[in-house]
Amino acid sequence: MKNILIIEDETSIAELERDYLEINGYRVDMEHSGDEGLKKALTGNYDLIILDLMLPKVDGFEICRKIRDKHDIPILMVSAKKEEIDKIRGLGLGADDYIIKPFSPGELVARVKAHLSRYERLLGSRAPQTEEIRIRGLLIDKSSRRVFVNNQEVTFTTREFDLLTFLASNPNRVFSKDQLFEHIWGYDSVGDIATVTVHIHKLRDKIEQDPSNPQYIDTIWGAGYRFKI
């Protein structure tokens, strides 16, 4: 369950926002003053913050700035102020969205869902990517650009390694010679797609126990090649 903090001095608005969010499966806390809202935002474990701009004691701009200094989570700023300069300032301080009052609770929920989904995708893209590919007796170490076949290191040229890694990183997908040439060599390179066939044969000679009966790289007649797992 995602945790959301609402910092809003108008109790009726905050409660309406809370009710709609809870109906949609979110856990919601509320604060009605800027100083207490800031304290909770900095110390609590929240996935998203809905932040009013005009608050007693500490305004939304200052709260946004201080939250962004410590946390990288979605901040949705809401305000009755329609001036473009306020929106620009809020977004410039790190707010992810600026919603002008009055707005429908349904719109707020939709924006919350969209920002949480976007944030999760962003976190996923930041996750460390594996540097090794292990498929049966084959080990490809992408960081060191080394390949081991049944625990024995095998030497590859730059193009051979790139081609093998690309195919092994996209298992069970069929790539035409044109696609492979474009991805590994680029169409502005000297040569033609016949070099793909040559390199496939070289890869098979190096990784297959029986190149005439390949267990890794299949030829899909009329279509291209596939790295099977």
Side-chain angles (χ1 to χ4, degrees), residues 83-124:
E83 290 80 3
E84 185 177 12
I85 188 62
D86 293 307
K87 182 175 182 179
I88 293 172
R89 184 183 176 192
L91 296 174
L93 288 170
D96 295 273
D97 207 344
Y98 189 100
I99 310 173
I100 298 174
K101 296 179 180 178
F103 52 82
S104 72
E107 178 189 359
L108 178 68
V109 171
R111 295 200 186 200
V112 165
K113 289 180 178 179
H115 283 285
L116 285 173
S117 177
R118 176 178 176 273
Y119 184 64
E120 288 178 351
R121 290 196 302 272
L122 180 61
L123 287 181

Side-chain angles (χ1 to χ4, degrees), residues 6-10 30-40 51 55-59 63:
I6 297 173
I7 308 176
E8 168 65 67
D9 62 329
E10 295 187 52
M30 296 187 301
E31 285 295 340
H32 303 299
S33 65
D35 55 345
E36 290 301 316
L38 176 59
K39 186 186 302 182
K40 183 164 283 189
L51 175 63
L55 293 163
K57 298 185 179 180
V58 183
D59 68 24
I63 293 172

Side-chain angles (χ1 to χ4, degrees), residues 201-213:
H201 285 309
K202 290 181 178 179
L203 291 184
R204 285 176 174 157
D205 287 339
K206 293 183 177 183
I207 68 172
E208 301 284 3
Q209 185 174 357
D210 179 4
S212 64
N213 183 30

Side-chain angles (χ1 to χ4, degrees), residues 49-66:
I49 294 174
I50 298 172
L51 175 63
D52 187 29
L53 180 55
M54 304 302 294
L55 293 163
K57 298 185 179 180
V58 183
D59 68 24
F61 290 130
E62 181 68 8
I63 293 172
C64 182
R65 184 182 66 79
K66 290 186 175 179

Side-chain angles (χ1 to χ4, degrees), residues 130-133 135 138 140 142 161-173 175 183 227 229:
T130 179
E131 292 298 315
E132 291 186 351
I133 300 174
I135 302 174
L138 178 67
I140 303 171
K142 294 190 286 186
F161 181 87
D162 291 344
L163 179 57
L164 175 63
T165 302
F166 177 71
L167 288 169
S169 298
N170 297 276
N172 297 326
R173 285 187 57 188
F175 293 96
H183 185 85
F227 195 100
I229 60 173

